[in-house]
C-alpha cells in the first residue's frame, strides 16, 4: 500500500474537523475525494502534506513508514506532493531557481546526484511542454502575475518536475475554464504511473470526466461516508449530497 | 562529547561571520587619543602638503565645537574619542610595483576574504584597491587603466601625484562643516580611494575597493573621492569586513562623488563589517557620510547598497541634483539581525530642472534588531518639473524586531511630482508552507524569499557582486529566524 491513513483525527482551536478518516491508496491508483464545502477536504490534504497548527491523532503511512512526525519538507522529499488550491506568489523568486532547489532536495534525499544547470534546463523544457506552460512563464518569479489558470498549470508542472510518489490535487479544477481544465487533466493523465498514486480532491464530477479515478470517496462532516467506483461520482452529480445524508439516516 | 559540542558551536559561530579572523601583520599604531598633535602626526607620516594639513586642522577645530547627532533612532553608549587610535598601518612599506611585493600575510588576509587580487581579476574585469586599516595596500591594474587615462589610486597617493585635482574637489560635496562625523573624518582621514575618469572615457572595468579593519583599538576613517568628467562612465564597488572583537570599533568614512555633464557614476556597496555577537557585544559603529553631486547636465549618480554588517549603521547616501535633467537613484537592502541597529536612507536634493530621482529601500529586520529608513526628498523652487518616486518596504521576521520609516518631503516647486509608497510585511506561514511542501527547509525557504524580496535592489549590483550579496543575505540570517 502506498498511502495508508488510519483513524486520522484533526482539530484546530478545539474544533474537530477530521473525525477518524480511514483511507488506503495502492500504488498506481487514482482516488477521488468528493464532498460538500466545509466537509474537511482541504484540511485532509494539508495534513497529509504536513501543515502545522492542528492537533492530530491517528496514523499516516507512506510506503509503510509513519510520517506524522515528519516536517513538510521531509514528506515532500520522500515523495508527497500537494497541488495547492490557492498557490501563493513568491515575489522576486525565479521559478526555475526555486524548482531547481526543490528538485535537487528530492534527488539528494533519494541518493541521486544533483542536476546541473543544463540537465535541469532540459528537464524543465520537457515538462513545461507537457503541461503547455510557456517558456516565458518559467522565467518569471513563482506565480507572480500568473492568471488563475496559469497558477494551476504551474502546480501540475511542478508535480511533473518533482515526480512524486503520492500527488494530492486540492480542487485543482476550481476556477478553471473548460480549456484550462482539459490541459491540466491531460497533464495529470500523462503523469499517471504504476509507481505513483494520486488523490484528486474535487467539488464537482466534471474533473473526473477527464481524470478517470479508480475509486471515489465521499467526505462529509470530517469522515468518509461512502466509497465506490467512478459511477459513484455520477450518482452524486445526479442526486446531490443530500442523497447521501438521507442514505446515512436510513442506515443509522 | 562536551568538547565536540564546543567545537561544533565554535564552527557555527564562525560560520555566522566568516570574516572574523585577525591577521598577524606587523603594524605601526599610534597611541590612542585625538589632538592637534595627532593630526600633525598623520599628516607628517603621509608627507602631506601644507594646505591639506591646514584643512585638517580647520576641520578639527570645527569638530571640537560640534556634538554627536542625537536624532537617529539608535542607542549606544557614548563614544570616547580619546580612546581610539587614529592611525594604524602595516609596517612593511606599502609602495608596491607588483603583487609579488605584497607582504605574504597581507596577501593571505585578502585571499581569505576571497578578494581575488590575482590574474583572474583581469578576466573578471575588476580593478581592486585594498585598504587595510588606515593605508591603501595595493592597487591592481593601474597600467591598463592608465592607458585610458583613468586614475585609480589611494587618496594619499593622489595628494602627491594629482594635487590640483584633489584640491579642486576634496570637501566640495561633503564639506567638513557638514556634520559631526564628516568633520572628524576630515581631520583624521588616513586613506581611501581616488578615481578620476577623463572626458569621454567609459571605464573599461569595474573599480573596487576592499576595506578591512584589522588592528585592535583603532578607528577607520577612509575618504573616497570619485570624479566622472563629461561623457564618462564608471562603476565602483566597495566591500567591507572586520575581525570579530568584543570591543566596538568606530568607522567614520566620507565618500564624495562628482559627475560632470552627462557623466555617470554607479556606486555599489556590500557592507559586512562585523555586526557584534548575538547578545550585541562588539561590532562596528558605522557612521558614514556619502554624497554625490550631479554637477553637470544629464549627469547620473546611483547608490546601491547591501548593508548586513555593523552593530550600528548611520548612513544616508545622497544625491544633489544640480545639473538640469540629472538623475539620482538609491537602491538599498538593509538587513539587521540579533541586536543590530540601522538608521539608513537617503537624501535627494533637486535643484536643476527636470531632475529625477528614484528611491527603492528594502529593510529586513530579524531578532531583536531595529531597522529604520530615513529619507528626505527636497525639491527646490528652481527644480521645475522635478520628479521623485520612493518605495520603502519593510520585512519583519519574528515579533521582537522593529521596522520604522521616516520619510521627509520638502516641496517648493508646484510642477514637481513626488510619489511615495511604503509597505510592511511578514513572511506569511502559508508562503513558508508552500516552499517547505516543495522540499525546501524553512531556513532555505526564508533565504530564498528574502532574496526575492531584495531582488529589485540586487539586480542593480554588478553581476559577480550580486551573487556574493545573495549569499551574504542568506548567511546573515542563519540562526536568527525561528
Amino acid at each position: 500500500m502506498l498511502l495508508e491513513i488510519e483513524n486520522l483525527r484533526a482539530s484546530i482551536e478545539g474544533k474537530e474537523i477530521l473525525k477518524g478518516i480511514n483511507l488506503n491508496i495502492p500504488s498506481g491508483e487514482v482516488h477521488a475525494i468528493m464532498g460538500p464545502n466545509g466537509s474537511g477536504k482541504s484540511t485532509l490534504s494539508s495534513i497529509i502534506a504536513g501543515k502545522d497548527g492542528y492537533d492530530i491523532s491517528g496514523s499516516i503511512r507512506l510506503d509503510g513508514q509513519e510520517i506524522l512526525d515528519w516536517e513538510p519538507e521531509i514528506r515532500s522529499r520522500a515523495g508527497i506532493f500537494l497541488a495547492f488550491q490557492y498557490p501563493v506568489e513568491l515575489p522576486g523568486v525565479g521559478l526555475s531557481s526555486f524548482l531547481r532547489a526543490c528538485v535537487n532536495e528530492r534527488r539528494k534525499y533519494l541518493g541521486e546526484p544533483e542536476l546541473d544547470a543544463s540537465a535541469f534546463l532540459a528537464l524543465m523544457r520537457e515538462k513545461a511542454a507537457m503541461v503547455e506552460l510557456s517558456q516565458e512563464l518559467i522565467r518569471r518569479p513563482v506565480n507572480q502575475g500568473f492568471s488563475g489558470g496559469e497558477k494551476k498549470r504551474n502546480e501540475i508542472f511542478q508535480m511533473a518536475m518533482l515526480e512524486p510518489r503520492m500527488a494530492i490535487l486540492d480542487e485543482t479544477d476550481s476556477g478553471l475554464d473548460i480549456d484550462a481544465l482539459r490541459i491540466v487533466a491531460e497533464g495529470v493523465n500523462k503523469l499517471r504511473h504504476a509507481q505513483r498514486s494520486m488523490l484528486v480532491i474535487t467539488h464537482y464530477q466534471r474533473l473526473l470526466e477527464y481524470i478517470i479515478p479508480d475509486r471515489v470517496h465521499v467526505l462529509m462532516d470530517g469522515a468518509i461516508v461512502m466509497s465506490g467506483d467512478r459511477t459513484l461520482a455520477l450518482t452524486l452529480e445526479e442526486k446531490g449530497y443530500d442523497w447521501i445524508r438521507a442514505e446515512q439516516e436510513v442506515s443509522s | 562529547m562536551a568538547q565536540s559540542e564546543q567545537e561544533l558551536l565554535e564552527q557555527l559561530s564562525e560560520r555566522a561571520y566568516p570574516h572574523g579572523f585577525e591577521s598577524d601583520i606587523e603594524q605601526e599604531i599610534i597611541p590612542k587619543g585625538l589632538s592637534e598633535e595627532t593630526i600633525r602626526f598623520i599628516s607628517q607620516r603621509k608627507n602631506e602638503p601644507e594646505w591639506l594639513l591646514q584643512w585638517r586642522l580647520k576641520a578639527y577645530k570645527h569638530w571640537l565645537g560640534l556634538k554627536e547627532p542625537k536624532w537617529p533612532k539608535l542607542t549606544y553608549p557614548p563614544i570616547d574619542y580619546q580612546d581610539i587610535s587614529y592611525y594604524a598601518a602595516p609596517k612593511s612599506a606599502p609602495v608596491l610595483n607588483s603583487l609579488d611585493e605584497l607582504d605574504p600575510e597581507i596577501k593571505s588576509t585578502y585571499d581569505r576574504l576571497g578578494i581575488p587580487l590575482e590574474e583572474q581579476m583581469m578576466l573578471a574585469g575588476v580593478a581592486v584597491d585594498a585598504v587595510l586599516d588606515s593605508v591603501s595596500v595595493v592597487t591592481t591594474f593601474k597600467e591598463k587603466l592608465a592607458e585610458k587615462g583613468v586614475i585609480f589610486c589611494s587618496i594619499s597617493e593622489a595628494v602627491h601625484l594629482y594635487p590640483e585635482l584633489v584640491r579642486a574637489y576634496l570637501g566640495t560635496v561633503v564639506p567638513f562643516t557638514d556634520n559631526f562625523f564628516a568633520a572628524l573624518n576630515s581631520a583624521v582621514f588616513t586613506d581611501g580611494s581616488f578615481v578620476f575618469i577623463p572626458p569621454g572615457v567609459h571605464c573599461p572595468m569595474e573599480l573596487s575597493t576592499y576595506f578591512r579593519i584589522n588592528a585592535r583599538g583603532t578607528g577607520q576613517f577612509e575618504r573616497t573621492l570619485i570624479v566622472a568628467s563629461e561623457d564618462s562612465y564608471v562603476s565602483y564597488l566597495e566591500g567591507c569586513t572586520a575581525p570579530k572583537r568584543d570591543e566596538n570599533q568606530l568607522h567614520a568614512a566620507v565618500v564624495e562623488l562628482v559627475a560632470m555633464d552627462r557623466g555617470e557614476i554607479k556606486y555599489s556597496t556590500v557592507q559586512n563589517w562585523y555586526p557584534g555577537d548575538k547578545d550585541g557585544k562588539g561590532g562596528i559603529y558605522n557612521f558614514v557620510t556619502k554624497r554625490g553631486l550631479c554637477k553637470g547636465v544629464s549627469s547620473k549618480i546611483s547608490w546601491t547598497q547591501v548593508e548586513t554588517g555593523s552593530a550600528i549603521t548611520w548612513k544616508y547616501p545622497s544625491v544633489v541634483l544640480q545639473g538640469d535633467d540629472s538623475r539620482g537613484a538609491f537602491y538599498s537592502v538593509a538587513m539587521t539581525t540579533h541586536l543590530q541597529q540601522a538608521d539608513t536612507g537617503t537624501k535627494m536634493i533637486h535643484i536643476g530642472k527636470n531632475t529625477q530621482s528614484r528611491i527603492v529601500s528594502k529593510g529586513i529586520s530579524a531578532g531583536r534588531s531595529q531597522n529604520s529608513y530615513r529619507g528626505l526628498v527636497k525639491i527646490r523652487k528652481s527644480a521645475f518639473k522635478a520628479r521623485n518616486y520612493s518605495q520603502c518596504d519593510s520585512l519583519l521576521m519574528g515579533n521582537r524586531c522593529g521596522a520604522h520609516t521616516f520619510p521627509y518631503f520638502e516641496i517648493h516647486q508646484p510642477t514637481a511630482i513626488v510619489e511615495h509608497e511604503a509597505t510592511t510585511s511578514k513572511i506569511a506561514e502559508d508562503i513558508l508552507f508552500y516552499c517547505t511542501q516543495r522540499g525546501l527547509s524553512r531556513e532555505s525557504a526564508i533565504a530564498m524569499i528574502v532574496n526575492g524580496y531584495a531582488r529589485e535592489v540586487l539586480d542593480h549590483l554588478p553581476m559577480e557582486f550580486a551573487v556574493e550579496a545573495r549569499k551574504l543575505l542568506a548567511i546573515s540570517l542563519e540562526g536568527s529566524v525561528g
Side-chain angles (χ1 to χ4, degrees), chain B residues 5 38 103 145 200 228 289 332 428 448:
Chain B
E5 222 169 72
T38 322
D103 182 324
L145 293 168
T289 306
S332 169
M448 210 173 258

Side-chain angles (χ1 to χ4, degrees), chain A residues 66-85:
Chain A
E66 180 61 61
I67 64 166
L68 266 186
D69 295 338
W70 294 7
E71 294 295 329
E73 61 268 31
I74 307 300
R75 298 187 198 196
S76 165
R77 294 167 197 169
I80 288 184
F81 180 88
L82 172 60
F84 285 80
Q85 184 179 3

Side-chain angles (χ1 to χ4, degrees), chain A residues 76-77 80 82 92 155 158, chain B residues 434 436-440 455:
Chain A
S76 165
R77 294 167 197 169
I80 288 184
L82 172 60
E155 294 294 286
Q158 294 182 40
Chain B
Y434 188 86
T436 54
Q437 204 301 302
R438 296 297 187 252
L440 301 178
R455 182 168 171 176

Side-chain angles (χ1 to χ4, degrees), chain B residues 294-366:
Chain B
C294 278
K295 196 168 184 178
V297 296
S298 302
S299 53
K300 288 183 194 166
I301 289 177
S302 75
W303 298 100
T304 303
Q305 60 172 22
V306 175
E307 303 277 318
T308 59
S310 296
I312 287 179
T313 299
W314 178 94
K315 180 179 169 188
Y316 316 90
S318 306
V319 183
V320 178
L321 296 139
Q322 184 181 306
D324 291 348
D325 300 299
S326 59
R327 290 185 188 192
F330 173 73
Y331 302 101
S332 169
V333 174
M335 177 189 278
T336 52
T337 62
H338 302 311
L339 281 164
Q340 279 177 282
Q341 304 174 63
D343 192 305
T344 184
T346 185
K347 288 192 273 186
M348 291 291 170
I349 313 293
H350 292 255
I351 300 170
K353 295 187 191 89
N354 296 313
T355 46
Q356 294 183 18
S357 64
R358 185 177 179 84
I359 298 170
V360 178
S361 164
K362 304 269 181 180
I364 301 159
S365 333

Side-chain angles (χ1 to χ4, degrees), chain A residues 7-22:
Chain A
N7 196 23
L8 181 69
R9 290 172 181 274
S11 53
I12 190 161
E13 287 161 7
K15 187 173 182 285
E16 193 168 47
I17 297 172
L18 301 183
K19 300 170 180 172
I21 303 253
N22 293 292

Side-chain angles (χ1 to χ4, degrees), chain A residues 168-184:
Chain A
I168 305 155
L169 280 65
D170 188 8
E171 305 218 12
T172 296
D173 51 336
S174 69
L176 290 187
D177 62 33
I178 197 78
D179 289 331
L181 185 70
R182 183 188 52 78
I183 292 168
V184 164

